[in-house]
Amino acid sequence: MPRRVRPSDIEVGVIGYGGAFNMGRGHLQEMAAAGMTPKAVADTDPRRLEAAAKDFPGIETYPSAAEMLRKSAVSLVAIITPHNTHARLALQCLRAGRHVVVEKPFAITTAECDAMIRAARKGRRLLSTYHNRHWDGCILQAVKRIRSGAIGEVVRVEAHMGSWGRPGDWWRSSKSISGGILYDWGVHLLEYTFQIIDADIVEVSGHFKTGFWAPKTKWKSDTNEDEGFLLVRYAGGAWSTLCISHLDSNPKPGQVEVTGTKGSYVFDYRTYQLITHRGPATVVTKGGNPPSQHAKYYQNVADHLSRGRPLVITAEWARRPVHVLDLTCRSAAAGRALPVKYK
Ligand SMILES: NC(=O)c1ccc[n+]([C@@H]2O[C@H](COP(=O)([O-])OP(=O)(O)OC[C@H]3O[C@@H](n4cnc5c(N)ncnc54)[C@H](O)[C@@H]3O)[C@@H](O)[C@H]2O)c1
């Protein structure tokens, strides 16, 4: 168990202060809002260290994670770098005795997750993933309505995101860096799904279309798949699917459709539709979703470290979507569904 401290005693640092979505700045702001003390930034790009020094005057800046770990006393480190670096950097930080938050996805393979979890347990350090979308207004409202019985027993969850178009020339489109087309938004949509279907996972079937866009991107044969599709079977009989596509001529903005025995609940980030039946009549209720509460992620981390409150996003919870994605890739290669190691 982590030693109990005051939140302000927890000095925090980030590795990766990228400009694409200003995630490093966002993490430090949310950590500070939770009462912790921003102290250090490491990034291999000197321009991003300059940006950090402007955003947080007086903050320590380091050109590498190794130098930060050698010279800085930060006790909690958030890793906000491309996906293929998560496991290596997390292990480096855990072995240096730091608590670690890794951006999503937790890692790319189950074996990487296992090694990180072993190191955290050995050093008795916190290990978690920044699943901020656990607190998206759309999923909080969906879970509340579905658990209250609004659509009866959940039969299936289908999550889609995609449009037709060439993948960008950023690292997210490289299979070896990102993990593949399912690893970016896919982990968020799987994490939504696991909140809706509260049952053990039994097996995973994965399917990919590759090669259509590859000649047209800078990553060539290392380009992400054009489309990824997975099917998860759960104990108790429910199933879920996830499809992320660059071939979807009928675009979908991260839509989740939950089918139950008495109705359906369809939502995206902004809107929802509840479709139920009164006698022979179909009743459709539409509306907007409440605001997201992403600040709760670091409030929970600070509460855990300072007051021993239970951690919501445990390393084992974060391993679940990665395990499914890892099995998806293996299943697609094997041409058959594969059983899970972790339920
Ligand atoms: N949770 C969310 O809502 C959300 C949103 C956007 C991005 N992300 C995640 O954040 C992570 C980073 O994405 P991004 O959009 O910020 O990428 P980015 O390319 O904007 O930034 C990555 C930064 O990491 C730095 N970097 C790379 N390797 C490094 C290393 N070994 N040591 C130190 N610095 C290193 C780069 O120089 C760059 O500044 C990814 O895991 C991504 O999936 C999450």
Side-chain angles (χ1 to χ4, degrees), residues 328-342:
T328 297
C329 297
R330 291 166 191 271
S331 154
R336 61 187 166 85
L338 296 176
V340 299
K341 177 175 174 193
Y342 298 107

Side-chain angles (χ1 to χ4, degrees), residues 18-21 23 43-44 80-81 83 86 103-104 132 171-172:
F21 300 96
M23 292 307 288
D43 199 301
T44 46
I80 317 167
T81 53
H83 305 167
H86 288 183
E103 253 296 354
K104 45 60 52 173
N132 54 332
W171 61 258
R172 281 175 167 74

Side-chain angles (χ1 to χ4, degrees), residues 15-24 27 42-45 48 63-65 79-83 85-86 88-89 103-105 130 132-133 170-172 183-184 188 294:
I15 300 175
Y17 198 83
F21 300 96
N22 284 311
M23 292 307 288
H27 276 253
D43 199 301
T44 46
D45 180 347
R48 297 311 304 159
S64 69
I79 296 167
I80 317 167
T81 53
H83 305 167
T85 64
H86 288 183
R88 179 178 58 76
L89 289 168
E103 253 296 354
K104 45 60 52 173
Y130 184 71
N132 54 332
R133 293 191 177 281
W170 54 354
W171 61 258
R172 281 175 167 74
Y183 274 81
D184 192 9
H188 288 309
H294 294 176

Side-chain angles (χ1 to χ4, degrees), residues 13-176:
V14 298
I15 300 175
Y17 198 83
F21 300 96
N22 284 311
M23 292 307 288
R25 187 174 70 199
H27 276 253
L28 286 175
Q29 286 169 339
E30 286 183 9
M31 289 160 143
M36 299 185 281
T37 306
K39 196 75 182 172
V41 174
D43 199 301
T44 46
D45 180 347
R47 290 165 303 180
R48 297 311 304 159
L49 294 180
E50 277 173 32
K54 274 197 194 127
D55 294 341
F56 296 90
I59 203 154
E60 301 165 13
T61 57
Y62 299 100
S64 69
E67 197 168 324
M68 184 171 98
L69 293 171
R70 227 177 15 255
K71 295 184 178 165
S72 179
V74 288
S75 58
L76 170 66
V77 179
I79 296 167
I80 317 167
T81 53
H83 305 167
N84 64 333
T85 64
H86 288 183
R88 179 178 58 76
L89 289 168
L91 285 170
Q92 204 177 343
C93 294
L94 288 166
R95 286 170 185 154
R98 315 308 166 95
H99 301 297
V100 172
V101 166
V102 190
E103 253 296 354
K104 45 60 52 173
F106 192 34
I108 290 179
T109 66
T110 311
E112 286 176 338
C113 298
D114 288 348
M116 292 152 76
I117 290 171
R118 267 197 310 275
R121 284 182 188 155
K122 188 170 169 206
R124 298 167 74 85
R125 299 291 95 181
L126 171 147
L127 177 61
S128 176
T129 284
Y130 184 71
H131 268 301
N132 54 332
R133 293 191 177 281
H134 187 85
W135 288 270
D136 273 353
C138 60
I139 185 66
L140 294 175
Q141 179 161 263
V143 167
K144 200 168 154 196
R145 291 211 169 109
I146 291 164
R147 291 215 181 126
S148 76
I151 60 168
E153 181 194 344
V154 173
V155 175
R156 71 181 131 89
V157 176
E158 296 162 273
H160 306 265
M161 178 177 270
S163 57
W164 190 91
R166 174 188 182 280
D169 278 332
W170 54 354
W171 61 258
R172 281 175 167 74
S173 308
S174 153
K175 169 88 177 160
S176 58

